[in-house]
Amino acid sequence: MEQTCEGSTILPQEIIFEIFLRLPIKSLLKFRCVSKSWFFLLSNPLFSKTHVDFCLKNPDLTGYRLAVVASVYGSGRKCNFYNLGFENSCLSLARNSCPVKSLAISARILGSCNGLICLTSDSFTLMLLNPCTGKFNVFPDSMLRSNGGGVGCFIRYGFGYDASFEDYKVVKIFSFPHIEGRYENMVNVYSLKAKSWKMIEGFNSGNLNGKVGVFVNGALHWEACHSHCSGLFWEIVTLDLSAERYGRIALPNYEDGGVYWRLSVSRGYLVGCCNYEKNKADVWVMKEYGVKESWTKLVTVLLPVDRRAYILPLFVAENCDEFLLQRGEELALYNSGDGSYKRLDGYSSGDYFRQAQATTYFESLASPHM
């Protein structure tokens, strides 16, 4: 360590770097104004990348947030942004103003990764947003050029990070019904670094029920089902963003009867929720990625009799005793210890929601531009 002529101590740059990695993002944003050296350090893409890697490797030290985008009725029809914080395995509520002046009425969340959220914006455009810094990037959506004109196809999206090329990518799938419950899928990929779309090799699958892919372990995941002699067969279809290679992951064994699977990610783990026609759902987590035997059932959630929508786990507390669930436009906190199911009405501040979507993310300095 060095000393100034006044006797104060100056820490080495590498020590300051390590300290900054462990501080809240709000503090880092303020520290940019302290000095030129701190400004350049905190604005350096290397620091941003190292901070993201630190958060991914240390989930226990990472403050997770929940972004909710919804069309609401009130003073006109509009979209707002909401944040919910998780601290010490307890849920804290705080409504924040939307970091973007306006979102399209039809705005939808297409995924989140490394603190960035991908959304639909205005007509035929997409938006990449860092809700912590308020910075965003708008770029064109992909349109299908074919003789069919896209009539009769289903659209699926995904957003994630290609670590091999240090590039954020958006995936758009045009899924066409084929024969015997199978679908032909045309796939376009947007590179944030190249600022352009390209078509990659497509694939055949069952019906991709997941409208938005879940990003885990460098790959996007969609739940898919197709008819089988014994009923519906469910599996996970994957796309490795670096290799642009498709794969499949088996779901855990489940009970007979009507089921509907939904996927999510919590604290870096792939989470699957098996919704049964009767009022219950099993929540599973894949503890070792890609290994079917590592699927572990966390809880069976007993749902209200008036259930009108399938549930989706948004966050699982570290000790697995609290679960943040989405059921349609409703958010609820489920306690596995006493089986309580508590609706979180406070987060909407009296607004009536329709078409609500939610995603978890962690605060970072990741830039939506490359």
Side-chain angles (χ1 to χ4, degrees), residues 121-327:
S121 184
D122 294 326
S123 299
F124 310 118
T125 60
L126 303 178
M127 174 188 293
L128 200 55
L129 167 70
N130 184 322
C132 180
T133 65
K135 295 181 179 179
F136 62 93
N137 180 13
V138 177
F139 51 94
D141 197 353
S142 172
M143 303 302 295
L144 182 65
R145 293 186 176 90
S146 69
N147 293 332
V151 177
C153 78
F154 299 94
I155 305 297
R156 303 292 184 255
Y157 283 96
F159 168 64
Y161 182 68
D162 179 351
S164 297
F165 295 93
E166 298 184 356
D167 190 13
Y168 290 97
K169 293 182 176 179
V170 180
V171 174
K172 186 172 185 178
I173 300 175
F174 301 89
S175 189
F176 294 89
H178 191 39
I179 56 175
E180 298 180 352
R182 304 294 292 180
Y183 288 75
E184 290 186 354
N185 302 294
M186 300 175 60
V187 182
N188 287 356
V189 177
Y190 181 83
S191 163
L192 193 64
K193 184 175 287 187
K195 296 181 176 61
S196 63
W197 289 90
K198 72 173 183 179
M199 180 174 288
I200 65 172
E201 181 181 359
F203 65 100
N204 294 326
S205 71
N207 180 25
L208 297 177
N209 282 16
K211 295 182 180 180
V212 175
V214 174
F215 182 73
V216 181
N217 203 55
L220 287 165
H221 304 71
W222 294 268
E223 56 267 45
C225 71
H226 58 83
S227 299
H228 194 267
C229 57
S230 59
L232 289 179
F233 174 75
W234 288 82
E235 64 181 353
I236 299 174
V237 175
T238 68
L239 172 59
D240 185 301
L241 290 182
S242 296
E244 295 181 350
R245 182 175 61 244
Y246 302 101
R248 285 174 169 77
I249 293 179
L251 285 160
N253 297 327
Y254 48 89
E255 301 174 13
D256 294 333
V259 299
Y260 191 96
W261 280 91
R262 300 193 70 183
L263 298 178
S264 63
V265 58
S266 180
R267 304 170 63 84
Y269 291 97
L270 183 63
V271 176
C273 184
C274 183
N275 287 266
Y276 293 94
E277 285 186 353
K278 46 189 175 181
N279 298 318
K280 75 169 187 175
D282 291 336
V283 179
W284 299 75
V285 62
M286 178 171 268
K287 293 191 173 181
E288 185 177 351
Y289 181 78
V291 179
K292 179 182 178 181
E293 292 73 20
S294 73
W295 280 111
T296 303
K297 185 163 72 170
L298 299 179
V299 68
T300 295
V301 180
L302 301 178
L303 298 168
V305 177
D306 63 344
R307 183 181 76 172
R308 295 180 296 275
Y310 297 114
I311 71 167
L312 174 69
L314 295 172
F315 186 81
V316 181
E318 183 181 0
N319 53 12
C320 299
D321 64 346
E322 284 188 318
F323 298 78
L324 180 64
L325 307 176
Q326 181 178 6
R327 187 184 69 164

Side-chain angles (χ1 to χ4, degrees), residues 23-27 59 61-68 81-88 90-96 109 112-117 130-133 265-267 314-316 324 331 357-364:
L23 295 180
I25 291 296
K26 289 183 179 179
S27 298
L61 302 177
T62 300
Y64 288 89
R65 298 291 182 208
L66 181 75
V68 181
F81 231 90
Y82 300 81
N83 282 336
L84 283 74
F86 307 98
E87 296 178 2
N88 301 321
C90 294
L91 187 64
S92 61
L93 305 178
R95 177 175 177 172
N96 294 341
I109 295 176
S112 64
C113 173
N114 296 351
L116 298 176
I117 299 175
N130 184 322
C132 180
T133 65
V265 58
S266 180
R267 304 170 63 84
L314 295 172
F315 186 81
V316 181
L324 180 64
L331 294 183
Q357 286 187 302
T359 186
T360 54
Y361 69 96
F362 60 84
E363 293 182 322
S364 80

Side-chain angles (χ1 to χ4, degrees), residues 28-69:
L28 298 180
L29 293 175
K30 294 178 181 177
F31 289 168
R32 284 179 169 179
C33 304
V34 171
S35 66
K36 287 185 178 180
S37 61
W38 283 17
F39 174 81
F40 288 120
L41 172 61
L42 296 173
S43 301
N44 191 326
L46 174 62
F47 178 83
S48 174
K49 181 179 183 303
T50 307
H51 180 267
V52 167
D53 292 340
F54 179 84
C55 291
L56 294 174
K57 293 176 181 177
N58 298 274
D60 295 343
L61 302 177
T62 300
Y64 288 89
R65 298 291 182 208
L66 181 75
V68 181
V69 175

